[in-house]
Amino acid sequence: MDFITEVDLYLRSKATLILILSPEEERIIDTLKMLCQNTGRSCIAWDIADGFQPIIGNAAPKGGRDALTVLEQIEKADPQEPCLFILKDYHEFWNNSSIKRKLCTLAETLKFSKKSIIITAAGAEIPSELINESVILDYPLPYITQLEEVLDKLQLTPGVEIRLSPSGKEKLLQAALGLTASQAQRVFAKSIVSRGFLSEADIDFVSQEKKQIIREVEALEYTDTDETPADVGGLGALKQWLNLREQAFGHEAAAYGLPAPKGVALIGIPGTGKSLTAKMISRLWHLPLLRLDVGALFGSLVGESEERVRRALSIVEIIAPCILWIDELEKALSHGGLDAGTSTRVFGSLLTWMQEKTAPVFVVATANDITALPPELLRRGRFDEVFFLDLPTESERKEIFEVHILKRKRLPDAYDLQRLAQASRGYVGSEIEQAVIDAMYIGFNDHRREFTTEDILAALQKQVPISISQRENVEKLRDWLREGRAQSASFRDSSVAESQFVPIQIEIKTLPE
């Protein structure tokens, strides 16, 4: 159902007070104007600066600069004439008790007339007294066809030159998805001004501009990814699962009747590669990665957090197909009961969206603290699978050392990887990487020589791995896997003893007095 059809259904079903949320006021007015033209309604707009202005039809009430007077004028209008009143930013006034009372009464009275009120706002929290009388709608961001209209309109401007093939035009519009119509127009115009014309070379420019604009959505970040499966050591079971779903977003999968995968939850010990995996999935599937910082969703104003959630998820659905990385999901509940229920509502909004979304958005949720997550989060329907990232096995540690040595432009064959893997039992991937870096410091400060296996072993000896420093927490997490609550992200080594890590003996030397 498109937006015009949805609004028309509400109007015909006697919804007399509708709140439309969007910063795109101009597009909303154009849409409502089209609706009124198609349905034979008059349309009158109002704002505090200019009062009443006719949009469809000639007659408009006189005066009405006062917020309370405007409601009285609407009440006096002919009840038998189909008319839509658009009040711009009227939410700024409805916290006044008199206006709130009058608006509530008017919404009830208009049910016996052919008049309705639509309030437009970039974002607003509706008073509890008006909830039962109101319909709240989110105005959708423009789709490709609407962005194409923006581009075509820009092309009619004298002096504007567009050098785009049909495929190049499609790629450019795809790159602009997630922007409002005004933002897209500004980005296209900026590109034309900088180079004198618009061509396929501007696709990357539009993408970069979009990333800057998306960063203005406080909790959403467009993340660049270079990580391939070869850059992630271990996690063979998870990689195999992802490879089976690599083509699931294509037309062939849809024709086969295969639904697009919903998402995966990555639970486990800190430093085992959960964030790295999210970036790897984006590169593997060639889909954009959007990172949602749940902690940044919370605002200080009433209703601000819920509005940030709606706006962020709206942008994600427009950009789809894409990967949505929800980092440290337990932060959504970190406010506990000290925020008047805001964290519960934000978390509930995320859960509902994850369950009911139809857009091809693959959710990658990472979490360290399992105890902070409610059981309903991890059930099937929201995620296709829950993977646990455990302490790496011996073969995985060997692979991780190889990855990080190669990353530093050295040949892994020059190092005793087997010995390093055995000596690093109980270490996570991030600690292994740090050991390689520390070994490079040793070699660099020793007359710039190449770092060796012995240097890495010495660096390992100086570290206290998380499996020791947080032994109790790590064991609680691993018990969660042993109880069968998740699938292991790794293929297990044949050695059963590998599941029980052996603490590293750290030699402490006493300096002579």
Side-chain angles (χ1 to χ4, degrees), residues 211-269:
K211 291 175 186 179
Q212 295 297 328
I213 292 171
I214 286 178
R215 286 192 182 101
E216 296 174 9
V217 182
E218 293 85 349
L220 206 58
E221 178 184 352
Y222 202 111
T223 303
D224 292 315
T225 59
D226 295 317
E227 290 77 6
T228 66
D231 296 320
V232 181
L235 309 181
L238 174 57
K239 290 178 182 177
Q240 184 182 76
W241 187 90
L242 292 169
N243 283 326
L244 284 173
R245 289 155 179 80
E246 183 176 353
Q247 304 299 325
F249 291 100
H251 296 296
E252 291 184 9
Y256 188 78
L258 190 65
K262 287 190 171 184
V264 63
L266 305 178
I267 313 295
I269 300 166

Side-chain angles (χ1 to χ4, degrees), residues 5-16 18 116 135-137:
T5 302
E6 185 176 16
V7 174
D8 185 45
L9 281 175
Y10 275 119
L11 294 176
R12 288 193 285 124
S13 60
K14 295 298 182 180
T16 57
I18 300 175
S116 293
V135 173
I136 303 175
L137 299 177

Side-chain angles (χ1 to χ4, degrees), residues 2 4 25 71 119 168 257 289 294 299 320 324 327 446 490 498 513:
D2 62 25
I4 288 182
E25 184 180 278
L71 300 182
I119 296 174
L289 177 65
V294 180
L324 178 64
D327 195 20
D446 187 11
S490 306
E498 188 68 32
E513 296 182 1

Side-chain angles (χ1 to χ4, degrees), residues 324-384:
L324 178 64
W325 171 22
I326 306 179
D327 195 20
E328 297 183 336
L329 187 57
E330 65 269 28
K331 282 185 177 180
L333 297 178
S334 63
H335 293 252
L338 304 178
D339 59 358
T342 299
S343 59
T344 302
R345 292 195 299 273
V346 167
F347 194 70
S349 297
L350 282 173
L351 289 184
T352 301
W353 176 80
M354 288 166 61
Q355 180 70 36
E356 298 179 357
K357 66 181 171 69
T358 55
V361 178
F362 186 81
V363 177
V364 179
T366 64
N368 296 323
D369 186 3
I370 300 170
T371 60
L373 300 177
E376 64 268 21
L377 169 66
L378 301 179
R379 68 174 176 81
R380 293 298 179 99
R382 294 192 173 97
F383 296 106
D384 299 310

Side-chain angles (χ1 to χ4, degrees), residues 386-444:
V386 178
F387 282 98
F388 184 87
L389 280 68
D390 199 359
L391 294 173
T393 63
E394 184 175 307
S395 63
E396 287 182 319
R397 295 195 299 275
K398 183 177 179 181
E399 189 177 338
I400 293 170
F401 272 113
E402 184 175 356
V403 166
H404 290 297
I405 289 171
L406 273 172
K407 191 175 180 180
R408 272 76 195 179
K409 297 180 174 59
R410 267 67 172 188
L411 294 176
D413 291 344
Y415 300 84
D416 190 342
L417 298 180
Q418 187 62 44
R419 186 180 172 197
L420 290 172
Q422 291 172 346
S424 58
R425 181 175 294 181
Y427 284 72
V428 297
S430 61
E431 293 166 340
I432 290 174
E433 179 182 17
Q434 189 59 51
V436 173
I437 294 172
D438 290 344
M440 293 183 72
Y441 276 110
I442 295 173
F444 181 78

